[in-house]
Amino acid sequence: MGKLQIKKQDVWIDMTPMSDVMVLLLTFFMLTSTFVKNEPVKVNQPSSISEIKVPEKNVLNITVDKTGKVFMSMDNQNDMLSLIQGMNETASLGLTTKEMKKFQADPMWGVPLSSLKGYLGLPQQEMTKVITGAEAGIPLDSINGGKSEFQQWISEALKVNEDVKLAIKSDSDTPYKNVKKLMSELQSMNQNRYYLITSLKTGEDK
């Protein structure tokens, strides 16, 4: 008896639905993702075992570099624009609409208020040089016994968005006295809740 011959057929898979799904997923992630700005001031965060996550939205980041200079950034650009508009009015900065728009797009700010207008009038490359230079940093010293410039920024940010969360990110080499002074500034404003951003320790570090 002869063997039954099974006719061989080529297997053909329609990849069109998979391509459609991939395009939809890519579009979804592009529209819902928050792109991280390239911050000019980098810090090497200390390690800890804490696994508490910092919120992804409505965060005012306070960065302290290794020399103790303070910088700020916000994730919401609409809040950034409202913030600088408020500061322009309360601190009489004399900023133009173009300069405030430039502040809105800036990934990080950190110069004294007296230098802010001149800073925003510079080309982007020059702005990066200034903010990483020796004269940069938001002053923590009080003005005539009142609020410091740092406290003015915090107060205005809370006016713009009362739900904003404060997050402090300092370098592992930052002197403790500088971080303590910053925390004291917040405590004097009754701002006792904030996040401390650290790097999670690995098993080898513990």
Side-chain angles (χ1 to χ4, degrees):
M1 183 176 178
K3 293 183 179 179
L4 182 63
Q5 297 261 339
I6 300 175
K7 187 178 180 180
K8 293 184 179 180
Q9 294 182 343
D10 293 333
V11 178
W12 181 78
I13 300 175
D14 186 4
M15 299 295 291
T16 304
M18 183 176 291
S19 301
D20 292 340
V21 170
M22 291 298 294
V23 171
L24 286 172
L25 286 174
L26 180 61
T27 304
F28 171 78
F29 288 120
M30 287 178 65
L31 294 176
T32 58
S33 298
T34 301
F35 294 95
V36 179
K37 295 179 180 179
N38 184 24
E39 297 181 343
V41 178
K42 309 292 184 183
V43 295
N44 182 23
Q45 300 155 202
S47 300
S48 75
I49 58 174
S50 174
E51 297 184 5
I52 300 175
K53 292 185 178 180
V54 178
E56 296 182 0
K57 296 182 179 180
N58 294 328
V59 178
L60 173 61
N61 289 296
I62 304 166
T63 303
V64 190
D65 72 1
K66 62 177 63 179
T67 63
K69 290 182 291 188
V70 177
F71 306 89
M72 290 184 180
S73 61
M74 293 182 79
D75 62 295
N76 190 318
Q77 284 203 334
N78 291 329
D79 286 351
M80 285 270 290
L81 182 58
S82 299
L83 172 64
I84 192 58
Q85 287 172 342
M87 287 295 291
N88 188 44
E89 184 177 345
T90 57
S92 301
L93 300 177
L95 300 179
T96 64
T97 301
K98 182 179 179 180
E99 289 167 341
M100 288 189 283
K101 287 285 186 181
K102 199 169 183 180
F103 177 90
Q104 182 186 20
D106 202 16
M108 175 182 284
W109 73 92
V111 295
L113 290 176
S114 59
S115 305
L116 187 58
K117 184 173 178 64
Y119 168 75
L120 294 173
L122 297 172
Q124 188 60 50
Q125 290 184 343
E126 293 297 321
M127 290 173 66
T128 302
K129 290 181 181 179
V130 169
I131 203 171
T132 55
E135 301 301 320
I138 298 173
L140 296 178
D141 298 323
S142 62
I143 304 171
N144 298 325
K147 289 183 178 180
S148 65
E149 291 188 13
F150 170 76
Q151 291 175 324
Q152 290 180 46
W153 283 112
I154 296 293
S155 296
E156 197 62 43
L158 292 171
K159 286 182 187 177
V160 170
N161 184 354
E162 60 182 12
D163 295 324
V164 73
K165 306 295 188 299
L166 306 181
I168 301 173
K169 178 170 61 175
S170 68
D171 195 276
S172 56
D173 294 330
T174 303
Y176 174 69
K177 63 179 183 179
N178 295 87
V179 180
K180 183 179 179 181
K181 183 175 183 180
L182 186 145
M183 291 179 176
S184 297
E185 292 274 292
L186 292 175
Q187 288 174 352
S188 66
M189 302 174 67
N190 294 320
Q191 294 298 322
N192 299 310
R193 295 177 65 106
Y194 41 80
Y195 294 88
L196 293 175
I197 302 177
T198 58
S199 299
L200 183 65
K201 280 187 177 181
T202 62
E204 297 177 356
D205 296 330
K206 295 179 181 178

